[in-house]
Amino acid sequence: MSTPGYQQVQISEVARGRLDGSRQGRPCFTSDLSVNEFVLVTESGFEPLGMVMGTSVYHVGVQYGNWKVSQELGVLTQAMYNVRELAMARMEAEAAQLGADGIIGVSLRPMNYGFLADVVEFIAVGTAVKATDGTNYRAPNGKPFTTNLSGQDFWTLWQHGWLPRRLVLGNCVYHVAHQTLRQTLAQVGQNAEMPQFTQALYDARELAMARMQYEGQQLGADGIVGTFVDDFRYWGEHGVEFFSLGTAVSKVRPDVNPIKPTMTMPLNG
């Protein structure tokens, strides 16, 4: 699966003007962090620089397939991967424009404007942050790190010597074959697994997860945290996309003395 290059994305003039303006005169940051998240992030030694965003509106090409066969729909898989990566790359470029070390609290979500049936948009939004100790905490590839972890989770990760590297993703758009009339009639009134559907959905999820894991390995990360697998049903009754997303992390401070967790008892019964 090919990945859009970082150098291919461009920041719009409107975005560049906003980012440049936030650094002129007395800085006034913007953030989608809650108050608790903001305090914990600053306690970790990072200051917010501003909200950053990336978006991509993408036209999806024509996909051919056999309705009798369970198979991946490669054209659709690649389109949905590209549109997300382009949105994330533009968000990273905005953070780089601010001189940020990373972006936390990233949300990556689809938007539906109904322009055309074969057009999709994804938007990535987060808060760019920079370390206050002057150390460069960008990823090894020189880009700002990205994570969908909350400010609280970022604080916990940092206190134990770990740092996010990048949001890694994997996806798979899959066509689930139709059952024959004989198969359908054989299951009428019975408790029975539907192996054709089971295997197709199993394979689709595994492909999405394997691709996410491969991205983490390519980054040289030690692991992936905060992983979830979601599904999107854009493609009709027998088409489904499985999407896996997580934060690749590396241990950057092996000598840190981690804070021990404590038990809290609720007082509301």
Side-chain angles (χ1 to χ4, degrees):
M1 188 179 300
S2 62
T3 305
Y6 183 68
Q7 69 279 1
Q8 292 177 326
V9 301
Q10 294 182 349
I11 303 175
S12 73
E13 289 303 315
V14 175
R16 193 179 300 277
R18 176 180 68 86
L19 298 171
D20 289 343
S22 68
R23 296 186 299 176
Q24 295 174 359
R26 182 176 180 179
C28 178
F29 70 84
T30 56
S31 170
D32 60 352
L33 301 175
S34 69
V35 173
N36 287 341
E37 288 180 295
F38 166 69
V39 171
L40 286 173
V41 168
T42 55
E43 282 292 314
S44 301
F46 291 82
E47 61 177 359
L49 301 179
M51 285 185 66
V52 287
M53 179 195 69
T55 184
S56 176
V57 180
Y58 207 88
H59 177 265
V60 181
V62 177
Q63 172 72 65
Y64 298 99
N66 188 341
W67 71 276
K68 296 180 180 180
V69 179
S70 291
Q71 61 185 25
E72 182 176 12
L73 304 175
V75 172
L76 303 185
T77 294
Q78 188 68 62
M80 300 306 290
Y81 183 85
N82 286 350
V83 66
R84 292 185 178 100
E85 279 288 341
L86 284 167
M88 289 170 55
R90 290 190 173 105
M91 178 186 66
E92 291 170 355
E94 285 199 2
Q97 179 77 9
L98 286 174
D101 288 314
I103 312 167
I104 62 175
V106 174
S107 64
L108 179 64
R109 64 186 187 274
M111 307 294 287
N112 183 13
Y113 297 112
F115 295 140
L116 292 168
D118 50 2
V119 171
V120 295
E121 183 200 19
F122 270 81
I123 179 172
V125 179
T127 296
V129 297
K130 185 175 182 62
T132 56
D133 64 1
T135 304
N136 180 4
Y137 288 107
R138 289 192 176 190
N141 58 10
K143 303 177 188 178
F145 67 77
T146 56
T147 178
N148 60 346
L149 297 178
S150 67
Q152 289 91 333
D153 287 340
F154 178 81
W155 180 86
T156 303
L157 199 69
W158 178 256
Q159 293 300 323
H160 287 75
W162 294 79
L163 187 69
R165 286 310 187 193
R166 192 175 193 266
L167 275 172
V168 289
L169 63 90
N171 74 316
C172 177
V173 182
Y174 212 86
H175 175 261
V176 181
H178 293 246
Q179 287 196 134
T180 65
L181 179 60
R182 177 178 297 178
Q183 289 172 319
T184 302
L185 292 175
Q187 295 165 344
V188 172
Q190 299 185 37
N191 289 332
E193 183 178 17
M194 304 171 71
Q196 184 172 309
F197 289 1
T198 297
Q199 191 62 52
L201 297 178
Y202 192 111
D203 289 346
R205 290 187 179 97
E206 284 289 346
L207 283 169
M209 293 172 63
R211 287 164 181 161
M212 180 195 66
Q213 182 175 332
Y214 176 75
E215 280 202 354
Q217 291 170 334
Q218 290 296 103
L219 288 171
D222 295 317
I224 303 171
V225 299
T227 302
F228 70 88
V229 181
D230 207 349
D231 63 278
F232 297 94
R233 299 184 179 90
Y234 305 109
W235 315 113
E237 185 179 353
H238 280 255
V240 61
E241 182 195 26
F242 287 102
F243 173 62
S244 185
L245 182 73
T247 296
V249 296
S250 297
K251 189 142 192 175
V252 295
R253 300 186 300 159
D255 57 341
V256 72
N257 185 21
I259 295 176
K260 301 298 181 183
T262 57
M263 184 176 66
T264 302
M265 296 292 291
L267 301 177
N268 57 357

